[in-house]
Amino acid sequence: MEGDTRVGRRLHGRGALFDAEPAGLAPRLVGLRPYRHRATTVEHPKELPFVVLTGARGLGKSAVLGELRDAYKGHTPTALIDCAGPQFARAPLGRPEESWSPLSQALLEAAEQLAEPVTGAGRIQFPRLMAGLVAVAASGWADTDSERIRSEVERILLLNESGSWISGVAGRWAGRVAANVVAAATSTAGPLLSAAVEATLDSISEGFGNRRHQRAALWYRDYPNAGGHARRGLMLLSGHFRAGGASREHAERYLVRALLADLGDAYTGVLPRMQRIGRPLVLVDNAQVAPGPGLVDAVLRDRAEGHTDQVVFLAGLRGDGRTSALRAAVRRELPEVARRSGWAPDPAAPSSRALLVALSPLSPEDTLHIVGAVCGELAVPPQLPHAMHRLTGGNPLGVEVLAESAAQHPDDAGSLGTLVTAPVRLREHGEPEPAYRELLDRLVPADRLDELTVLAAAHDHDSACALAAALLPDDFGPADVRSLGTLLAAEGLPVVPGQFVGSAFVRTLLLLRLHHRDSGHRRWRAAHETLIRHYDGAGADHARYRLYHQLALGTADPAVAHLRDTFPHLDTRVWLDTLCFVASAPYFHAHDAEGRDHERPVDRRTAVALGRTDAGHRVPDGANTALHLRIRRLVHAVWQLTDPLVLPEERVADRLRFELEQLSNLRPAGNALLWRASRDWPASALAGRPLCAADDADADDDRDGGG
């Protein structure tokens, strides 16, 4: 990024958006290099895409938008609107709902930010938007509200203030016009709305003599059915807004068009074009909630109908954007837009004016750099970054929080399980909270946390219903289970066969919360016992689910017996897949027979995997002792090495290699796959990669060439 250390300090893996040379997506659209008042060649010079960054919670959409604001603020007109902010949840105190909407509030706040002076150019004025917002607000005034009227009018009128002003003191022009509007609205016997509109338009015409403002004063003559009269246009706009529903959407769309027309004026003429070398930038966070959808729809529809503008819109949207409003949007993965977007709209589909860019997870290298940046000079185990990446799946929020936990608890950096449960302070004045709770607060819908904590143990709809019937309130039934599954997909979590909660990271955090819900882990045990009963007698295809939950409760004998007895005849690939699935059961240290924590919990899996407990283990009558013990060691080795909360041990990986190699000698038909696994799995486990059987052809080629 041309050596500028400010750009993306912790936004590793986002160079496709931020790179200055060659230019990433944002510089190519804005026409400016990040953090510099230095032009770069623009992409899409005539028509711009509405860029929407998509992804689940924690992938860094808000961080990207915040970095973009910092990179361009002061260099080109820039605004950042967070649709999840409390100011958009309801109308200000005392203001009727019919004269306010989240979108009208967003336009006011966006214009206030865009108006600020930038390098080489002064404030931008918004006379069209100002007049429209006054007309909307006036429909909610009463003649006894003079102080509220004055406050609302002054704030709106400052959008047309050209000079500097001190915070809390309205500009002279704005103060004078506000007084005129208040006087007209509170002293006339006629309708307040008409009086306010008249006073506003008169003030614009009287206060500004240049052609640009005269054009702005007349702009509402073109409002549908205005008959060429600006006052009538504003009255109709206000009435449509007040009516709500589709009429309000029509009025709001016109207000968005007013904002864009005012911005276009700021770039019109020779002098403005020389002074302003970057396109205006409007950033919209949490665009999945109001006012986001209305703003996106208004811009896309206007652009489709030929109302062109040169404003760069860049939004963050939770989920994958697969909604009817964005059905025809052009879709790209983040690396695909690094040098060019390849975007071209379909003239027949307004939503094709959107370019959806899926934010990708961080790479292991990105995770390594973040841990290094957060932990500084602290010595951390070399396996920690890879193990952290395996646990989080590259989720930037997860990596950041766990890196902070490692920095605050360096003595515990050898155990991810300890780091994720340790209290971590993320805010200067906040109280420390266990890391997993901090993460769940930001990764999972708060109103569904309790239900998801239980259902995280499920594998599909039926098993989730079994858990709900046993452990959730009576009014939470199958329909609620389906609704929750739909919500998870809408949130952008992956759909993974065999798991109700598709994200392995989120599922691990939820199960950790389930384990810690009570001191005796009763809810934890009840959940797994419920699923053991659910899968008992469910057929051979579901046997592995029963074994998985038995292992989660610390009972390994059924899994060992099943894998031992099926080894001689089961398809080798199926056998290896069963081993991996069963041994992926969660493990949260050993307990006694009553489920109580030991005073000093230890991970017994390593001792079993290394054969240290073989002598004391009773082999079932009739079983092949050597095969039984070998598979018992193998199950515990895979269980330990693939546990996302534990740093994999090299000695256990060596033992895994040896056990698989020895098993390959016992199965001539599956020799190649077992041999390949003996080579691939230890390396994958130590690097934090998932274990999987090689393709048959690859295994045969490798075995023939190097066996």
Side-chain angles (χ1 to χ4, degrees):
M1 298 185 187
E2 283 199 338
D4 196 328
T5 58
R6 294 173 299 176
V7 180
R9 291 185 307 275
R10 293 190 181 180
L11 292 182
H12 299 277
R14 303 298 183 240
L17 292 172
F18 284 97
D19 281 349
E21 188 61 47
L25 179 62
R28 296 198 311 272
L29 294 179
V30 177
L32 283 177
R33 297 167 187 264
Y35 285 101
R36 294 175 174 82
H37 197 66
R38 182 180 171 190
T40 189
T41 303
V42 297
E43 186 176 7
H44 308 297
K46 294 183 179 180
E47 185 174 7
L48 282 161
F50 192 121
V51 179
V52 181
L53 304 177
T54 64
R57 298 176 189 242
L59 278 180
K61 298 180 294 296
S62 298
V64 165
L65 296 177
E67 190 77 22
L68 283 169
R69 176 198 55 197
D70 295 344
Y72 288 108
K73 186 177 181 180
H75 299 291
T76 197
T78 303
L80 172 59
I81 300 298
D82 183 359
C83 299
Q87 71 272 35
F88 302 120
R90 61 188 61 85
L93 184 64
R95 184 165 180 177
E97 292 288 345
E98 63 266 19
S99 67
W100 178 91
S101 74
L103 184 48
S104 67
Q105 182 71 27
L107 293 173
L108 174 59
E109 296 196 5
E112 288 174 334
Q113 297 176 53
L114 291 164
E116 292 303 313
V118 298
T119 301
R123 291 177 61 86
I124 293 178
Q125 297 167 275
F126 292 89
R128 295 173 181 82
L129 179 63
M130 178 203 70
L133 291 178
V134 168
V136 166
S139 69
W141 293 339
D143 56 9
T144 57
D145 292 342
S146 59
E147 286 306 313
R148 183 169 68 84
I149 294 173
R150 182 183 301 276
S151 174
E152 290 180 9
V153 170
E154 285 186 350
R155 181 176 181 184
I156 296 172
L157 293 178
L158 281 172
L159 297 179
N160 216 43
E161 181 67 23
S162 60
S164 61
W165 57 284
I166 301 173
S167 177
V169 180
R172 290 193 302 274
W173 179 84
R176 185 174 69 252
V177 176
N180 293 342
V181 173
V182 171
T186 57
S187 64
T188 182
L192 298 180
L193 171 60
S194 177
V197 169
E198 292 261 359
T200 303
L201 288 176
D202 288 344
S203 297
I204 294 176
S205 299
E206 295 169 4
F208 298 93
N210 64 57
R211 293 181 179 178
R212 183 181 302 170
H213 281 87
Q214 292 300 325
R215 290 198 307 270
L218 301 175
W219 190 70
Y220 285 93
R221 294 184 305 179
D222 296 327
Y223 192 85
N225 298 317
H229 299 287
R231 288 171 175 79
R232 177 166 174 77
L234 284 166
M235 296 287 290
L236 288 168
L237 170 79
S238 180
H240 288 150
F241 190 96
R242 189 169 59 253
S247 295
R248 172 171 290 188
E249 292 174 7
H250 173 79
E252 289 178 330
R253 183 177 166 192
Y254 220 80
L255 290 174
V256 173
R257 194 180 301 171
L259 171 77
L260 299 181
D262 287 333
L263 282 172
D265 261 5
Y267 283 76
T268 301
V270 177
L271 185 58
R273 283 201 302 268
M274 293 175 60
Q275 292 177 324
R276 300 186 184 277
I277 63 173
R279 287 163 162 168
L281 176 62
V282 177
L283 306 163
V284 186
D285 199 5
N286 288 299
Q288 71 278 355
V289 295
L295 177 60
V296 174
D297 179 67
V299 174
L300 294 181
R301 289 174 60 191
D302 265 15
R303 287 179 175 180
E305 294 178 9
H307 297 281
T308 59
D309 64 83
Q310 287 292 298
V311 180
V312 177
F313 282 94
L314 214 154
L317 179 74
R318 189 181 306 150
D320 59 9
R322 297 191 183 278
T323 62
S324 58
L326 295 170
R327 182 181 294 111
V330 177
R331 297 178 180 275
R332 298 284 184 269
E333 297 296 320
L334 182 59
E336 295 178 306
V337 301
R339 299 298 171 253
R340 63 184 301 273
S341 70
W343 171 83
D346 177 356
S351 62
S352 70
R353 265 72 187 174
L355 171 63
L356 270 57
V357 180
L359 284 186
S360 52
L362 300 177
S363 69
E365 291 74 18
D366 296 327
T367 304
L368 177 67
H369 294 316
I370 291 176
V371 173
V374 174
C375 294
E377 300 299 319
L378 295 174
V380 298
Q383 313 100 303
L384 180 64
H386 283 307
M388 201 177 285
H389 184 268
R390 179 181 64 176
L391 169 62
T392 64
N395 182 286
L397 175 65
V399 173
E400 285 276 359
V401 171
L402 292 176
E404 286 289 351
S405 184
Q408 296 176 30
H409 304 282
D411 293 341
D412 296 322
S415 169
L416 268 178
T418 303
L419 293 181
V420 79
T421 55
V424 59
R425 186 189 299 275
L426 300 179
R427 291 165 291 277
E428 183 177 354
H429 301 295
E431 290 296 320
E433 289 286 343
Y436 76 91
R437 291 186 191 170
E438 289 280 3
L439 287 166
L440 286 173
D441 285 346
R442 297 158 71 178
L443 292 175
V444 172
D447 59 340
R448 289 291 179 264
L449 179 57
D450 287 342
E451 292 92 341
L452 282 172
T453 297
V454 172
L455 300 186
H459 301 281
D460 55 18
H461 174 75
D462 289 343
S463 58
C465 288
L467 282 173
L471 300 175
L472 293 178
D474 293 341
D475 59 355
F476 192 91
D480 301 288
V481 172
R482 290 196 186 279
S483 177
L484 197 50
T486 301
L487 174 63
L488 293 177
E491 288 269 321
L493 270 66
V495 177
V496 177
Q499 298 293 353
F500 184 77
V501 177
S503 166
F505 179 39
V506 174
R507 184 169 65 251
T508 298
L509 297 173
L510 288 167
L511 290 173
L512 193 59
R513 182 174 187 263
L514 177 64
H515 189 260
H516 286 279
R517 288 297 294 274
D518 52 79
S519 59
H521 313 296
R522 291 183 299 275
R523 299 275 286 183
W524 167 264
R525 299 185 67 85
H528 291 288
E529 288 166 352
T530 297
L531 292 176
I532 290 170
R533 291 192 298 270
H534 174 73
Y535 287 113
D536 191 28
D541 292 342
H542 292 87
R544 65 180 193 159
Y545 292 105
R546 183 180 69 256
L547 301 173
Y548 171 99
H549 292 286
Q550 288 171 328
L551 192 58
L553 292 178
T555 305
D557 290 345
V560 173
H562 176 83
L563 291 166
R564 178 198 67 216
D565 294 342
T566 58
F567 176 74
H569 57 81
L570 192 64
D571 178 84
T572 304
R573 180 180 300 281
V574 174
W575 189 86
L576 287 170
D577 288 343
T578 301
L579 167 63
C580 283
F581 177 80
V582 171
S584 68
Y587 178 92
F588 296 118
H589 69 255
H591 307 95
D592 63 19
E594 284 73 42
R596 294 178 301 225
D597 290 328
H598 288 294
E599 289 186 7
R600 298 184 61 187
V602 294
D603 190 340
R604 298 173 178 173
R605 294 171 298 180
T606 297
V608 177
L610 297 178
R612 295 173 182 169
T613 65
D614 285 359
H617 177 72
R618 182 182 178 279
V619 178
D621 295 339
N624 181 312
T625 300
L627 179 62
H628 177 89
L629 292 175
R630 191 174 304 284
I631 289 180
R632 181 171 179 263
R633 293 191 294 267
L634 182 62
V635 167
H636 285 79
V638 174
W639 198 14
Q640 195 274 344
L641 289 170
T642 59
D643 188 340
L645 295 175
V646 174
L647 271 60
E649 296 187 41
E650 189 167 353
R651 55 184 177 165
V652 178
D654 288 340
R655 192 61 185 240
L656 172 65
R657 179 197 59 76
F658 175 76
E659 301 295 356
L660 286 170
E661 182 179 302
Q662 295 304 306
L663 284 177
S664 73
N665 293 326
L666 303 178
R667 280 289 305 271
N671 175 277
L673 283 173
L674 289 164
W675 175 269
R676 188 69 262 165
S678 74
R679 267 52 192 162
D680 292 344
W681 284 16
S684 295
L686 292 175
R689 298 189 298 267
L691 309 186
C692 58
D695 291 337
D696 291 327
D698 293 340
D700 289 340
D701 290 344
D702 290 339
R703 187 66 181 96
D704 292 342

